[in-house]
Amino acid sequence: MTAEAFEVLVVEELDSLPDDMVDGLDNVVFVVEDEPEDGSDLFGLYEGFALTERGQYGLGELPDRIIIYRHAHLAACADEEELRDEVHTTLVHEIAHFYGIDDEQLHELGWA
């Protein structure tokens, strides 16, 4: 799948998320990259400060980033339906980090 087609898929999955999940996202950008700089096999990454860890936050702050990695998703998925499911799960997982939910809690909730 081309980078452009994958980005469209990510946007479609982001648009399909419940409003109450995405309406609270403030100063967050979503980015699609081929792979992490360190060569790891991550599906996604949240870079920023969770709402639960923020003090003063506002104007002039660089946005938090949620990165979705294309190559890891493509390598793990056999077809587009599986790819959509995995991208959906990754988006929920990384957005949860924005809200202060850690990996242990996500595993317990089935979103790891």
Side-chain angles (χ1 to χ4, degrees):
M1 176 177 281
T2 66
E4 294 79 17
F6 185 78
E7 285 182 29
V8 168
L9 185 145
V10 169
V11 169
E12 290 172 354
E13 288 306 311
L14 183 59
D15 287 344
S16 76
L17 294 174
D19 289 342
D20 58 345
M21 180 181 293
V22 295
D23 285 348
L25 297 175
D26 183 34
N27 205 28
V28 178
V29 296
F30 289 82
V31 179
V32 173
E33 294 182 2
D34 282 338
E35 59 192 32
E37 289 181 14
D38 67 2
S40 65
D41 59 354
L42 290 174
F43 285 96
L45 181 66
Y46 170 70
E47 292 181 334
F49 294 99
L51 287 180
T52 56
E53 299 174 2
R54 292 182 183 185
Q56 185 103 8
Y57 188 80
L59 295 174
E61 298 289 334
L62 291 175
D64 293 358
R65 294 183 351 139
I66 292 177
I67 306 167
I68 306 299
Y69 294 111
R70 183 171 71 103
H71 288 171
H73 280 89
L74 295 177
C77 300
D79 57 35
E80 187 171 322
E81 183 178 347
E82 191 176 335
L83 181 61
R84 285 184 178 279
D85 288 345
E86 193 60 54
V87 167
H88 186 94
T89 299
T90 302
L91 286 168
V92 169
H93 183 104
E94 300 309 331
I95 290 170
H97 288 318
F98 170 84
Y99 288 113
I101 300 171
D102 64 22
D103 283 330
E104 183 178 327
Q105 292 171 297
L106 285 166
H107 281 281
E108 291 171 9
L109 296 169
W111 289 104

